[in-house]
Amino acid sequence: MNALLNPKRTVAELKELRELTSNGNGAQRIAFTPIWTKARTWLRRKLEELPAEIHTDEAGNLWATLRGESEKALLMGGHIDSVPNGGWLDGSLDTLAGVEILRRINAQYNDKPPVTVRLVDWADEEGARFGKSLFGSSACSGHLDLEEARRLKDRDGITLPAALEANGIDFEKVMDCRKELANAAAYLELHIEQSPVLLDLDRPLATVIGTFGVERHAITFHGQAAHAGSTPMNKRKDAFLAAAKMSPEIYRITDRHGGVCTIGSCTTKPGFPTSVIEECRITLDQRHLDGEALSKMLLEAKAAGDRFAKEGNVAVSWDRIWQIEPIPFHPDLIALCDEAISECGAVPHRMPSGPLHDTSEVARAGIPSVMMFVQSLHGISHNKLEDTKEEHLERAITAFDKLADKALRWIERSVAR
Ligand SMILES: [Zn+2]
């Protein structure tokens, strides 16, 4: 480990932040609320101890920059915001590990690293208040849908533009923050794994190779309402029967292609005990790292839906709710991440991420990117039970620092070319 790095300090700071912004139900750092502002102010004070240039961009992302010999920049990112009743590590581990690495780099290079090094605390990664995640990073990548965002409201009917205004952010200018990525040469993010893969493998760290593409659809089966007592079984147009057959089918689809599929909601009409179901609407969320496999999964689900509809003498229609392509991370940075993990005495494991992260947006903007995951105890996140062994946290910060060092040299080499 680099003697200038102090992972224990980061763990202590994570606890300090938890103390400051949690209650008995967990972290309460919901973006654009007073507790989030409090967390931000606390973070800013830590950053002000460095000779870093600090500013908030047009979308409310907080940047700390150590100017280097080259303008080409190594970026590290995280998000200090949390979901309501969230965990103490999701987002804040990334951010505070970044702070510690800025300290190490600053000390090592006496205020002048070979390339510029920047830490960003993305605004509203979680989307907990307005239901739209990755706000700050999608504005920065240029993928934020402004018209959709303009209409978002929280539970109290406050619009996103109004909430931003209360935080000193002009909604009409948020896309101007795209300029922040102008000299970005690489982007790194450390995150707690939000599933039990590493726990089951008994490994502390993983290299994340990309984030899943997503196809999300509403599927509606249309049959005919009929009396539950008088309609013979062979005369029914039972919309639920057709929809229900989709449930085992999605497991067969993932058996063939990998990836994950979820039927997350099911609503029926008329929806009372004495009527055959006339209309059944289910949602299907399909995810895969490979775009081709994802399209096959969708095609097979559609074919199965048609088949079940035909068998049941009902009709079926599909509406796309949302879609994003798979976002692979950069092969060179993936290799460097493996190396960093090995050098910390751990066996690297490569895995995709099911959830999207700010890294997905940065990678989508064409910046070479990679993430590192640290094991999650209980494999649980977005919950006050979220936790990671302290020795794993320290190992993660050490490995992430090694990755930052390797990425810095990787950028240096590309500048020299
Ligand atoms: Zn997160």
Side-chain angles (χ1 to χ4, degrees):
M1 188 178 83
N2 190 310
L4 300 167
L5 186 83
N6 186 353
K8 284 194 195 308
R9 170 163 54 188
T10 305
V11 176
E13 286 176 336
L14 283 163
K15 290 179 182 169
E16 198 183 318
L17 180 66
R18 176 170 64 182
E19 196 63 32
L20 194 71
T21 57
S22 305
N23 60 24
N25 296 318
Q28 308 297 338
R29 299 183 294 273
I30 299 107
F32 311 125
T33 65
I35 299 182
W36 175 73
T37 308
K38 191 168 151 187
R40 268 274 173 99
T41 308
W42 174 87
L43 173 65
R44 219 184 155 108
R45 237 174 269 137
K46 303 262 169 207
L47 291 166
E48 280 165 358
E49 288 163 21
L50 284 157
E53 183 268 316
I54 302 168
H55 75 274
T56 304
D57 71 18
E58 290 83 352
N61 303 309
L62 177 69
W63 294 85
T65 305
L66 290 177
R67 298 259 166 236
E69 306 279 352
S70 164
E71 283 194 325
K72 288 280 166 216
L74 168 65
L75 270 48
M76 295 176 288
H79 60 95
I80 207 110
D81 76 313
S82 74
V83 294
N85 306 329
W88 68 301
L89 299 169
D90 178 357
S92 44
L93 169 63
D94 346 354
T95 315
L96 290 168
V99 173
E100 185 58 27
I101 292 167
L102 284 185
R103 289 178 185 132
R104 190 274 294 166
I105 291 177
N106 183 58
Q108 181 170 342
Y109 295 102
N110 291 321
D111 298 358
K112 200 74 182 171
V115 306
T116 297
V117 185
R118 311 183 71 195
L119 175 68
V120 53
D121 170 34
W122 298 109
D124 201 6
E125 190 271 352
E126 299 287 5
R129 184 167 162 199
F130 293 96
K132 172 95 185 125
S133 48
L134 312 181
F135 170 77
S137 55
S138 65
C140 207
S141 77
H143 287 92
L144 178 71
D145 182 338
L146 265 190
E147 291 320 304
E148 184 196 56
R150 194 190 304 280
R151 291 191 299 270
L152 295 173
K153 285 185 185 146
D154 71 4
R155 263 201 318 226
D156 303 321
I158 298 170
T159 64
L160 175 65
L164 292 176
E165 201 189 319
N167 283 271
I169 300 164
D170 178 352
F171 179 78
E172 302 306 327
K173 296 204 174 120
V174 296
M175 299 302 268
D176 292 353
C177 75
R178 274 180 289 183
K179 65 179 181 304
E180 299 288 345
L181 294 182
N183 289 312
Y187 176 87
L188 314 174
E189 187 170 333
L190 171 67
H191 206 277
I192 180 171
E193 189 204 345
Q194 292 166 296
S195 49
V197 174
L198 288 172
L199 185 70
D200 290 348
L201 290 167
D202 194 23
R203 290 191 188 169
L205 299 166
T207 300
V208 185
I209 53 177
T211 51
F212 279 166
V214 182
E215 285 283 358
R216 190 175 301 156
H217 288 82
I219 314 167
T220 311
F221 291 89
H222 309 267
Q224 193 172 56
H227 195 286
S230 60
T231 317
M233 298 309 280
N234 64 351
K235 290 278 192 286
R236 297 180 178 211
K237 294 180 178 176
D238 185 343
F240 181 74
L241 175 65
K245 287 181 181 171
M246 290 299 286
S247 178
E249 185 63 25
I250 64 168
Y251 288 81
R252 290 192 279 269
I253 290 173
T254 50
D255 280 347
R256 286 193 290 273
H257 300 287
V260 289
C261 291
T262 306
I263 294 175
S265 91
C266 176
T267 49
T268 60
K269 284 182 194 162
F272 51 82
T274 55
S275 175
V276 173
I277 287 170
E278 178 172 8
E279 189 184 294
C280 183
R281 180 187 185 270
I282 56 175
T283 57
L284 175 62
D285 178 289
Q286 299 181 292
R287 301 183 186 219
H288 206 292
L289 188 64
D290 179 67
E292 215 168 294
L294 184 61
S295 336
K296 276 194 195 139
M297 285 164 69
L298 177 59
L299 280 177
E300 289 182 16
K302 284 194 169 171
D306 286 345
R307 197 164 71 241
F308 302 145
K310 205 166 161 213
E311 283 168 14
N313 206 12
V314 300
V316 62
S317 61
W318 287 66
D319 296 294
R320 179 176 267 161
I321 299 172
W322 188 64
Q323 180 227 28
I324 189 169
E325 71 278 12
I327 299 165
F329 294 159
H330 196 281
D332 289 4
L333 296 178
I334 288 173
L336 295 181
C337 192
D338 280 351
E339 270 179 42
I341 292 172
S342 299
E343 286 171 20
C344 290
V347 183
H349 174 71
R350 289 188 177 188
M351 64 184 287
S353 170
L356 288 163
H357 291 280
D358 292 310
T359 313
S360 320
E361 286 297 337
V362 182
R364 251 178 135 187
I367 313 298
S369 303
V370 76
M371 291 183 81
M372 184 186 285
F373 275 170
V374 63
Q375 189 194 96
S376 162
L377 283 175
H378 330 295
I380 210 166
S381 190
H382 286 188
N383 189 304
K384 68 171 177 179
L385 296 175
E386 175 190 88
D387 205 6
T388 294
K389 282 185 202 156
E390 281 193 22
E391 69 174 276
H392 286 173
L393 288 175
E394 288 175 22
R395 186 108 70 113
I397 295 156
T398 307
F400 193 63
D401 180 59
K402 283 184 189 293
L403 171 60
D405 186 53
K406 287 170 191 294
L408 188 148
R409 281 169 215 297
W410 181 76
I411 297 170
E412 226 184 337
R413 286 197 296 277
S414 77
V415 172
R417 271 200 295 273

